[in-house]
């Protein structure tokens, strides 16, 4: 399974990502637009201690073993009385710009701990667009994205995802929903949405 995280707030910042997942320090975050999501200032919240979550080990980006207690210390915000977080919500027709970050299982677990006040939700691949691609297209009005249109994409995994997203939109537009679902069966794009 290829996992990607959509960053729309602090995850846009490479230094912020590196605090949570040092293995991503030099990783490329690809600019994208996600359809049917909008950025919002969510709510004033009182922070509770981050729970320790089970962690999957992976050596895709690092040979260092991951210690969940380290991550909890990074996100422990017990000293904060309240704060206003950036958030997103699902809204038909909305668009949100941000970055796509390719992560392994260990890195995804670290982000789950960091974003403990948020729920992780899967984004439909048809709603993921390269930032230069026309995200105003309606379902049924799409054509395959020319490969040359993705020439500027620096992250190979992100390029693969964007090609598959374009292919899935095309398959759905011509009524081939079975093949469209197969295209995205091994790709997950996640977004953290504030729990209400």
């Amino acid at each position: 399974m290829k996992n990607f995280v959509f960053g729309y707030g602090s995850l846009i910042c490479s230094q912020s990502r590196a605090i949570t997942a040092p293995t991503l320090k030099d990783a490329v975050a690809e600019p994208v637009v996600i359809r049917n999501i909008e950025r919002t200032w969510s709510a004033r919240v009182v922070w509770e201690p981050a729970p320790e979550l089970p962690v999957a080990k992976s050596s895709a980006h690092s040979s260092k073993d991951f210690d969940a207690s380290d991550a909890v210390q990074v996100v422990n915000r017990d000293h904060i009385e309240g704060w206003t977080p950036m958030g997103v919500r699902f809204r038909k027709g909305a668009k949100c710009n941000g970055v796509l970050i390719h992560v392994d299982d260990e890195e995804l677990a670290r982000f789950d701990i960091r974003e403990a006040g948020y729920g992780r939700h899967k984004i439909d691949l048809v709603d993921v667009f390269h930032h230069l691609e026309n995200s105003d297209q309606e379902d049924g009005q799409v054509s395959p994205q020319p490969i040359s249109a993705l020439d500027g994409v620096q992250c190979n995994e992100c390029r693969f995802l964007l090609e598959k997203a374009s292919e899935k939109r095309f398959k759905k537009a011509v009524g081939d929903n079975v093949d469209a679902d197969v295209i995205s069966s091994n790709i997950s794009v996640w977004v953290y949405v504030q729990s209400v």
Side-chain angles (χ1 to χ4, degrees):
M1 174 69 67
K2 288 185 180 273
N3 286 300
F4 297 83
V5 171
F6 172 62
Y8 56 84
S10 62
L11 293 182
I12 291 174
C13 175
S14 60
Q15 292 93 349
S16 181
R17 291 190 307 271
I19 290 169
T20 302
T23 53
L24 295 175
K25 181 178 177 274
D26 297 319
V28 174
E30 198 61 49
V32 294
V33 174
I34 305 294
R35 195 170 53 177
N36 297 322
I37 289 181
E38 71 179 349
R39 183 181 286 109
T40 179
W41 290 106
S42 298
R44 187 120 176 116
V45 298
V46 175
W47 189 261
E48 295 180 14
E52 287 196 40
L53 301 174
V55 177
K57 302 258 184 194
S58 172
S59 60
H61 292 285
S62 170
S63 59
K64 179 183 180 268
D65 286 338
F66 175 60
D67 179 359
S69 63
D70 291 341
V72 171
Q73 290 172 5
V74 169
V75 299
N76 189 348
R77 298 180 178 105
D78 294 341
H79 63 284
I80 298 175
E81 300 269 334
W83 50 285
T84 306
M86 173 75 65
V88 292
R89 63 181 167 206
F90 294 98
R91 187 175 66 82
K92 185 87 172 142
K95 292 187 294 188
C96 184
N97 63 327
V99 295
L100 199 59
I101 309 152
H102 178 246
V103 296
D104 63 23
D105 291 340
E106 177 184 317
E107 293 157 344
L108 186 60
R110 286 175 177 256
F111 284 111
D112 284 347
I113 293 169
R114 170 191 173 133
E115 304 295 341
Y118 295 73
R120 179 166 37 108
H121 296 269
K122 192 170 183 178
I123 298 171
D124 190 334
L125 204 54
V126 299
D127 290 328
V128 181
F129 293 82
H130 184 257
H131 75 289
L132 297 177
E133 192 174 355
N134 181 6
S135 58
D136 291 329
Q137 299 173 10
E138 294 293 325
D139 289 334
Q141 298 178 332
V142 297
S143 58
Q145 178 73 13
I147 299 301
S148 62
L150 300 176
D151 283 346
V153 176
Q154 298 176 24
C155 165
N156 290 333
E157 291 84 3
C158 296
R159 180 185 177 101
F160 173 79
L161 178 142
L162 293 166
E163 288 170 354
K164 293 301 178 187
S166 179
E167 187 179 342
K168 183 174 181 180
R169 283 191 292 275
F170 180 72
K171 293 281 187 182
K172 286 187 83 159
V174 298
D176 192 349
N177 291 327
V178 173
D179 275 355
D181 290 339
V182 169
I183 288 169
S184 61
S185 63
N186 290 323
I187 302 171
S188 292
V189 180
W190 302 103
V191 62
Y192 290 94
V193 178
Q194 184 175 5
S195 303
V196 180

